[in-house]
Amino acid sequence: MANVVVVGAQWGDEGKGKIVDWLSERADIIARFQGGHNAGHTLVIDGKVYKLNALPSGVVRGGKLSVIGNGVVLDPWHLVTEIEKIREQGVEISPETLMIAENTPLILPIHGELDRAREEASSKGTKIGTTGRGIGPAYEDKVGRRSVRVADLADEATLTARVDRALQHHDPLRKGLGIEPIDRDGLIAQLKEIAPEILKYAAPVWKVLAENRKQGKRILFEGAQGSLLDIDFGTYPFVTSSNVVAGQAAAGTGMGPGAIDFVLGIVKAYTTRVGEGPFPTELDDADGQRLGERGREFGTVTGRKRRCGWFDAALVRQTCAVSGVSGIALTKLDVLDGFDVLKICVGYDLDGKRLDYLPTAADEQARCTPVYEEIEGWNESTEGARSWADLPAAAIKYVRRIEELIDCPVAMLSTSPEREDTILVT
Ligand code: 2SA
Ligand code: MG
């Protein structure tokens, strides 16, 4: 298989980091195509834990090219700190192993400030529960045509003009929210200082990828967040500000859609969500508590406790369709060990009518109640299983039922954070 896109098929935190790491062995290039340092990808290699936000997961494997594509929004200060941290863990990062698209928009301190101030000013119902990292405001500036982009760092006159254009928009906004005015010269000085640290990785990524593709190099596109957080197809407005679906892999790096050979959807064996917004199968009871504890469900970026609930097959069927998922990797099955009965949401009841998808209108979403199917649990441990034969019959039944309900085959099964604990389904 040549080029694979990995996307989260739920609300993020499906365990993409491990799968991407597993697949990166079979790839030459690993590319991020959306999101920013709101992502939290955890990799466990030989017991050593690496936590990545903006860097593609490929950096921890030697001999690969890691790419930050134009679809990403990049906080240059965070990136430099992240590179330092990962270097301290013994990972080598150089302009030969990391490239940043020159047309990548930057996240500036004003974006984080605006993000946090807006969240603070909102109340339940309007609050999004963002990571507070300035992702939304940075994307707003991108489509508003007032971003400072990586390439702008190379020329002082351009940089100054870009900053002034952005501030023209931001100054009144800040005033309205009671944030003190920006120190323009200070911001420009900060940007000039960080510029060489970023520019050394800057490259025409679209061109590098096209050339590599011609040579038969394999590209792994690493999605962040999950399809239900997609700006178009997610539970709007409780979403992130980028397209998360697989189609974005092409536009977010500068390749045609034909460059994508396989879309791997990462799916957790139950459901979690961090942040506000609808979550039909959410559990407020002991079962939900148990999922959270056994699954260690805390946000890697913010440390927030994740909301937990039963597997929602209707939602995953939907996200597999919009991302054109070719096969899924099912993760964290072991968290379900020891439940007597498991529930799977197969659709919704809306005012007495049965739906097999989540409607778009917010009021309808709120009135939807999940329709569950019950399935027998298992007592045996599935943790660390490395073949189908290691799995109890009831666990296999659960996996097969999911496959049927989401209308998409299971390609991989992950049974612990360690990369070796993976079952390939052929
Ligand atoms: P933002 O900051 O503007 O992207 O937030 C908007 C919504 O998107 C959600 N979001 C996430 N959901 C799950 N995981 C994410 N990454 C971190 C992690 C999150 C963390 O891996 O754990 O540490 O809290 C992520 N990033 C954004 C967010 O919760 C909002 O609902
Ligand atoms: Mg995460």
Side-chain angles (χ1 to χ4, degrees):
M1 190 113 31
N3 303 333
V4 179
V5 182
V6 171
V7 286
Q10 290 152 315
W11 276 291
D13 307 307
E14 300 92 351
K16 293 180 290 295
K18 168 185 158 169
I19 305 291
V20 167
D21 177 48
W22 195 90
L23 288 168
S24 66
E25 203 160 72
R26 292 154 188 78
D28 305 295
I29 301 173
I30 294 90
R32 281 278 309 264
F33 57 87
Q34 49 73 227
H37 65 310
N38 52 344
H41 292 169
T42 309
L43 310 181
V44 185
I45 300 171
D46 300 329
K48 208 164 164 182
V49 181
Y50 302 87
K51 288 193 187 284
L52 301 174
N53 300 130
L55 286 168
S57 297
V59 292
V60 300
R61 300 269 163 204
K64 312 280 175 193
L65 172 62
S66 287
V67 162
I68 296 180
N70 56 279
V72 167
V73 281
L74 182 73
D75 181 323
W77 298 277
H78 186 278
L79 184 78
V80 168
T81 312
E82 195 177 325
I83 289 176
E84 276 317 308
K85 252 192 10 221
I86 213 83
R87 271 201 188 121
E88 277 166 23
Q89 288 191 282
V91 174
E92 258 181 67
I93 296 176
S94 72
E96 278 70 55
T97 60
L98 176 67
M99 285 185 191
I100 305 173
E102 297 162 322
N103 49 344
T104 305
L106 298 182
I107 303 180
L108 305 178
I110 51 176
H111 296 129
E113 284 164 15
L114 187 58
D115 189 1
R116 294 184 294 271
R118 279 177 178 159
E119 287 282 280
E120 261 164 46
S122 336
S123 48
K124 185 120 186 107
T126 55
K127 202 187 195 71
I128 306 296
T130 71
T131 57
R133 298 210 153 175
I135 307 295
Y139 277 116
E140 284 172 40
D141 279 358
K142 172 181 172 170
V143 294
R145 295 168 290 211
R146 50 176 178 266
S147 283
V148 179
R149 306 200 301 178
V150 167
D152 303 329
L153 293 169
D155 177 66
E156 190 171 342
T158 311
L159 179 63
T160 307
R162 293 281 191 268
V163 168
D164 282 337
R165 189 179 166 93
L167 296 196
Q168 213 179 32
H169 175 79
H170 279 267
D171 275 329
L173 275 180
R174 292 167 72 90
K175 205 167 170 191
L177 282 157
I179 317 173
E180 61 188 45
I182 305 154
D183 169 11
R184 167 192 180 266
D185 297 343
L187 175 58
I188 294 171
Q190 267 182 297
L191 282 164
K192 274 167 62 184
E193 197 191 332
I194 200 83
E197 294 302 313
I198 298 300
L199 286 170
K200 64 180 169 201
Y201 302 109
V205 157
W206 63 271
K207 192 164 182 289
V208 173
L209 291 182
E211 285 161 4
N212 273 283
R213 199 173 162 226
K214 240 187 188 153
Q215 291 168 23
K217 295 281 169 60
R218 294 154 306 175
I219 308 164
L220 178 61
F221 298 93
E222 177 179 16
Q225 289 86 44
S227 304
L228 294 168
L229 290 167
D230 182 90
I231 184 76
D232 288 303
F233 292 102
T235 44
Y236 193 90
F238 303 99
V239 293
T240 191
S241 297
S242 62
N243 278 116
V244 173
V245 295
Q248 172 64 14
T253 55
M255 303 197 85
I260 300 167
D261 301 303
F262 192 92
V263 178
L264 185 69
I266 315 299
V267 176
K268 184 146 58 181
Y270 50 100
T271 314
T272 62
R273 169 162 210 175
V274 54
E276 305 297 318
F279 181 174
T281 63
E282 182 169 15
L283 293 167
D284 290 318
D285 58 6
D287 285 338
Q289 183 102 11
R290 182 185 162 114
L291 289 172
E293 278 164 17
R294 292 191 49 122
R296 292 178 293 276
E297 297 295 353
F298 293 93
T300 13
V301 175
T302 59
R304 290 179 292 174
K305 197 166 184 280
R306 297 180 186 135
R307 300 152 67 190
C308 297
W310 296 120
F311 186 77
D312 192 333
L315 277 182
V316 175
R317 183 169 52 232
Q318 198 166 322
T319 58
C320 282
V322 290
S323 266
V325 171
S326 326
I328 66 158
L330 192 67
T331 64
K332 299 185 98 165
L333 185 68
D334 56 294
V335 173
L336 300 179
D337 294 352
F339 276 95
D340 290 334
V341 175
L342 300 165
K343 287 187 185 179
I344 301 179
C345 170
V346 295
Y348 309 99
D349 179 278
L350 175 64
D351 308 331
K353 236 182 37 218
R354 172 77 180 264
L355 292 183
D356 66 354
Y357 69 102
L358 191 67
T360 303
D363 62 310
E364 291 189 348
Q365 283 184 356
R367 291 203 309 280
C368 274
T369 53
V371 176
Y372 285 115
E373 186 176 291
E374 291 198 349
I375 187 159
E376 193 191 329
W378 55 90
N379 271 318
E380 301 87 335
S381 165
T382 62
E383 193 183 340
R386 293 185 184 184
S387 79
W388 279 109
D390 294 341
L391 294 178
I396 295 176
K397 225 169 136 187
Y398 183 75
V399 175
R400 291 301 183 205
R401 186 62 187 140
I402 283 180
E403 212 169 26
E404 260 169 30
L405 288 168
I406 66 172
D407 196 20
C408 192
V410 173
M412 286 169 87
L413 212 69
S414 157
T415 55
S416 99
E418 290 284 349
R419 75 198 308 249
E420 285 73 25
D421 296 335
T422 304
I423 302 173
L424 251 195
V425 184
T426 42

